[in-house]
Amino acid sequence: MRWLHAILLILLALPAAAEGPLRPGLAQVDLARSSIQAEGRDRGRPRPLELRLGLSRPVPYRVYFLDGPPRLVVDFQEVDFADQDSGAMPGRDLVPALRWGRFRRGWSRMVMELPGPYALRLALQTPARDGAQGALLSLRIEPVEQQGFVTRGTALSALWDLPEPVLEGDPALPRDAGDERLRVAIDPGHGGQDPGAQVGAISEAALMLGFAAELAEELSRAGFAVTVTRDDDRFIPLEQRMTIARTAGADLFISLHADALPAGGAAGLSLYTWNQQANDRATRELALRHDRDDLVSGLDLRGADSQVVDVLMDLARTETQPRSEAFAKFVVLELRRAGIGMHRDPMRGAAFSVLKSPDIPSVLIELGFLTDAGDRANLFDPDWRVGTAQAITRAIGGWAQDDAARAAVSRK
Ligand SMILES: [Zn+2]
């Protein structure tokens, strides 16, 4: 129910003047519902602090600390601080300084200087209470010794792997201003030191690179803008694949795979959207394979799944997840129309890291399994590949229209 509530909240709280069908308007800060509070009596030493921020709707955010001087940084995607004076924040005098503003396209930042080193104890974004609309972000931090002070560069920030902030007005915007085309990020799975599934001389990495190029061509021909996460046999960590898509301003993310499953594993094309709870055996097996490349690179992010990360991911996904699932349905529909064989249960959920993007609808397509002779034949059949690429292209067109229509309805 909490899930449903959050979705409704997002739909209800969308401001009327959204910028475009895929970009709902910015969240607003409500200072009347915001405050900084200190716990206990002031004895001249740092005290536990609680920051509360009233927002007009839930937003994805991340929290981390920086040193020199110690400060808490909260990045939001995206909050409109323009009309709010940080000096008017209740409890502002409890900290040495408080600043906020937009720091790069799509992101705004709040910086709270701290009287010493702190650690994050709680990060929670909940629906607003007492009949108010929107969301309430609560952060509780407690003083720690200097050696316990964990600053950016840790696993927590690595999980996001966002590019470093740039100054506002940076001319190097990755997406051409005025380019209104839907931008699709195509992610050929694996690459470089991680060849993916291998059957004889065939590697999944090479096969997906080829199919990605064919799909990219179909998409360009149909008038879509395309970004690929790799266009050669190169190793790219999973989180970075999402970052590439995000930096390019992608509206949709499609990861392409053709993995191996042990004998008896089901065959046929299937689509995966994010589902943390998915745990059937084949899916677990695939998750291990997909996530292996991060282990290969020595960057094991599984330990970074802190409560904080989970919370912010869940929140962002309440908005994005239905859109990912809607896209997967369009793909199934178009593949069926094209007479392309699929797994008997083609739409599934999985906790694949590459689907974790909280802000871009993301789908992973297993085009087939290299371990299956029939699937292998398809993957090497130019007609099958063209038919599949065209069906996916039509699905993107159908989904984009549907998605824009839904966004328009939810703004009314
Ligand atoms: Zn794969």
Side-chain angles (χ1 to χ4, degrees), residues 190 204 257 259 290:
H190 312 278
E204 179 187 358
H257 288 257
D259 282 276
H290 289 147

Side-chain angles (χ1 to χ4, degrees), residues 121-300:
R121 293 293 180 237
L122 176 80
L124 206 60
Q125 194 170 212
T126 53
R129 276 169 264 169
D130 303 328
Q133 268 213 349
L136 180 71
L137 173 66
S138 308
L139 300 176
R140 188 186 149 79
I141 57 174
E142 288 173 7
V144 291
E145 298 296 320
Q146 185 66 37
Q147 64 262 33
F149 189 39
V150 181
T151 55
R152 199 193 165 138
T154 62
L156 185 63
S157 57
L159 185 72
W160 276 78
D161 193 28
L162 285 164
E164 280 301 299
V166 292
L167 291 174
E168 182 147 6
D170 187 314
L173 279 182
R175 182 172 179 158
D176 297 339
D179 184 353
E180 291 305 317
R181 292 176 299 165
L182 189 92
R183 182 165 291 272
V184 184
I186 305 286
D187 172 47
H190 312 278
Q193 70 218 53
D194 169 28
Q198 277 177 295
V199 175
I202 311 165
S203 91
E204 179 187 358
L207 211 52
M208 291 307 100
L209 193 60
F211 183 79
E214 292 170 16
L215 178 57
E217 204 184 308
E218 288 292 342
L219 289 172
S220 305
R221 218 176 288 156
F224 298 112
V226 182
T227 296
V228 291
T229 56
R230 65 179 181 96
D231 57 7
D232 55 14
D233 187 23
R234 190 189 323 184
F235 174 78
I236 298 173
L238 294 175
E239 310 293 341
Q240 203 179 319
R241 294 169 189 257
M242 294 186 284
T243 302
I244 292 169
R246 184 175 291 117
T247 305
D251 301 302
L252 180 66
F253 179 88
I254 302 174
S255 191
L256 299 169
H257 288 257
D259 282 276
L261 272 185
L269 188 148
S270 42
L271 294 119
Y272 292 87
T273 51
W274 172 264
N275 180 358
Q276 182 111 55
Q277 269 77 47
N279 64 351
D280 72 77
R281 205 175 65 85
T283 304
R284 272 204 312 274
E285 180 106 18
L286 285 174
L288 279 176
R289 285 173 190 279
H290 289 147
D291 291 1
R292 188 180 47 185
D293 55 0
D294 272 354
L295 302 177
V296 171
S297 74
L299 185 68
D300 183 353

